[in-house]
């Protein structure tokens, strides 16, 4: 059985076809551009369907597709009439227009209640509840025509099968989904004026939905959950860290942690009925890329590694705060900015490069410490996983074992595994994950980063202060 996992990102869709042994058979990538204007981010809803059809066509040229599952970002909203025809452009997850509505929801419910029901510690303009309230108030003609409310994966499942269904990991950040009882939250729906009949039927991940041209279509999971499955992060004691443009940490947990006034870590429903904490920072690999393009444009990332390796631990006193786009966790401060400190005339570009890498490793440690997790192993993904120096730094500073993966397309692989579960190729996600191949193992080498982390925390306390 050949299994297609499709991963819909914000500006590209990647689809990879695997066999039952999780060997890669074919792949397809297509970029696209969303429409932006200030805090408005939209895309023609039909464009997503065109991208889906292209992905199927491109990956089935030489191999038959037996089953498919699609992971997407959570909050992209598509409103349609009774027959599934869009009544306006899709409101992309990044869209921030509903700030007033988010404040209105927070004033009515309070953050504590919303967290205890939905696992979301903030009420933001990006959540679908806020967006729906905005449409209802500002586009009454559109709202009057709205009979079905889709998130992106839901819409694609509907186009493939005609079934009006969703899966629960995707609904986790709507703030109208009760993650404790696995159902819609009536009180929130009543407040924003949504009838439950407008919402798709709730399903679990890895469940058979229907067929599309002889292909079995199966529910998947939100992108972060699919990526964790593809990395084999499915039980406590193991977490995943994606170091790409941003840094995202995925941590399985058995229960929803108690509410904390100063906590901004969301808790999501997971594919197996348990939960996962998601911590993220907006700047990670982006900081290294920024420095390279601004000051060392002719140097490759491999050469940056070689430069940094010649600099001693601690970068001879240089400390970088990687807040080029503000800080989020463990300290929420959108006003924070990046900075280098401790400079002397002896410092070279290599010192700056190493200090950037050390700062991201420090940020990882600070997030893990904040989560108070008993993690033994970290599965690392993204561009940062390609750097042995960076992986060794992270192992030393966190004092954890780091493992990279042979298959780098973990979200596509996770979706394909769920497709296999729903189509009967695998007995369970856990069984399928036994076949995931790891690559390199990095263990702490005893390099002393205590002063590095001390300096990072010291300058963070001085410079990362919300205005």
């Amino acid at each position: 059985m050949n299994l297609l996992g499709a991963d819909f990102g914000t500006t590209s869709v990647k689809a990879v076809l695997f066999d039952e042994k999780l060997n890669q058979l074919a792949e397809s990538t297509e970029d696209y551009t969303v429409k932006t204007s200030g805090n408005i981010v939209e895309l023609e809803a039909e464009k997503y369907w065109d991208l889906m059809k292209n992905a199927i066509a491109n990956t089935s040229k030489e191999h038959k597709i037996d089953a498919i599952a699609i992971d997407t970002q959570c909050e992209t909203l598509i409103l349609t009439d009774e027959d599934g025809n869009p009544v306006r452009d899709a409101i992309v997850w990044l869209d921030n227009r509903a700030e007033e509505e988010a404040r209105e929801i927070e004033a009515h419910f309070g953050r504590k209640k919303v967290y205890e029901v939905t696992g979301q510690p903030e009420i933001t303009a990006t959540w679908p509840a806020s967006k729906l309230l905005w449409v209802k108030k500002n586009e009454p003609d559109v709202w009057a025509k709205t009979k079905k409310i889709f998130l992106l994966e839901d819409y694609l499942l509907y186009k493939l099968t005609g079934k009006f269904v969703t899966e629960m990991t995707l609904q986790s950040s709507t703030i109208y989904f009760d993650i404790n009882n696995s159902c819609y939250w009536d009180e929130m729906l009543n407040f924003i004026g949504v009838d439950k009949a407008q919402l798709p039927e709730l399903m679990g991940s890895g469940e058979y939905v229907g067929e599309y041209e002889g292909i079995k279509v199966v529910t998947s999971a939100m992108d972060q959950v699919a990526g964790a499955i593809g990395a084999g992060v499915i039980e406590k004691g193991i977490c995943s860290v994606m170091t790409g443009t941003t840094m995202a940490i995925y941590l399985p947990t058995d229960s929803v942690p108690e509410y904390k006034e100063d906590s901004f870590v969301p808790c999501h429903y997971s594919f197996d009925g348990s939960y996962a904490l998601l911590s993220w920072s907006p700047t990670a690999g982006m900081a290294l890329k920024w420095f390279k393009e601004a000051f060392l444009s002719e140097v490759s990332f491999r050469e940056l590694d070689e430069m940094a390796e010649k600099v001693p631990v601690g970068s001879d006193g240089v400390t970088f705060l990687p807040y080029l786009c503000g800080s989020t966790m463990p300290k929420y401060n959108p006003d924070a900015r990046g900075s280098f400190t401790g400079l002397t005339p002896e410092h070279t570009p290599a010192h700056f490069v190493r200090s950037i890498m050390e700062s991201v490793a420090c940020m990882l440690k600070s997030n893990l410490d904040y989560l108070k997790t008993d993690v033994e192993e970290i599965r690392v993904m993204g561009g940062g996983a390609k750097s042995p120096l960076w992986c060794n730094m992270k192992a030393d500073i966190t004092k954890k074992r780091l493992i990279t993966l042979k298959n780098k397309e973990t979200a596509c692989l996770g979706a394909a595994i769920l497709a296999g579960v729903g189509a009967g190729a695998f007995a369970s996600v856990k069984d399928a994950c036994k076949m995931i191949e790891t690559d390199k193992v990095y263990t702490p080498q005893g390099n002393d980063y205590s002063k590095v982390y001390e300096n990072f925390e010291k300058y963070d306390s001085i410079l990362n202060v919300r205005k």
Side-chain angles (χ1 to χ4, degrees), residues 33-53:
T33 303
V34 296
K35 300 183 293 185
T36 61
S37 176
N39 59 7
I40 293 173
V41 187
E42 298 183 342
L43 185 69
E44 300 89 346
E46 294 88 346
K47 177 66 176 176
Y48 289 117
W49 175 230
D50 290 339
L51 290 161
M52 185 73 258
K53 290 185 290 185

Side-chain angles (χ1 to χ4, degrees), residues 131-150:
K131 291 171 176 170
L132 289 170
L133 189 56
W134 184 94
V135 173
K136 182 183 176 185
K137 289 166 57 178
N138 293 276
E139 297 180 349
D141 292 345
V142 168
W143 187 248
K145 298 174 188 174
T146 299
K147 304 303 179 186
K148 287 184 167 68
I149 297 169
F150 294 92

Side-chain angles (χ1 to χ4, degrees), residues 340-410:
F340 288 100
T341 54
L343 307 182
T344 71
E346 288 74 32
H347 291 128
T348 68
H351 289 88
F352 291 99
V353 172
R354 184 173 185 110
S355 69
I356 291 171
M357 298 174 80
E358 288 180 342
S359 75
V360 174
C362 287
M363 196 162 58
L364 171 60
K365 174 176 168 54
S366 69
N367 273 268
L368 292 176
D369 288 350
Y370 179 71
L371 292 170
K372 294 181 172 61
T373 176
D374 191 23
V375 165
E376 299 172 1
E377 178 180 304
I378 301 172
R379 302 265 173 120
V380 289
M381 304 172 285
K386 298 176 183 177
S387 165
L389 174 63
W390 217 347
C391 289
N392 277 319
M393 274 186 197
K394 292 172 182 175
D396 272 322
I397 202 165
T398 63
K399 296 181 171 57
K400 309 290 185 185
R401 181 172 68 251
L402 267 68
I403 295 179
T404 62
L405 301 150
K406 287 192 176 178
N407 191 299
K408 311 305 180 188
E409 303 299 337
T410 53

Side-chain angles (χ1 to χ4, degrees), residues 67-78:
I68 180 173
I70 309 151
D71 75 82
T72 69
Q73 71 267 174
C74 283
E75 298 91 26
T76 293
L77 193 65
I78 297 173

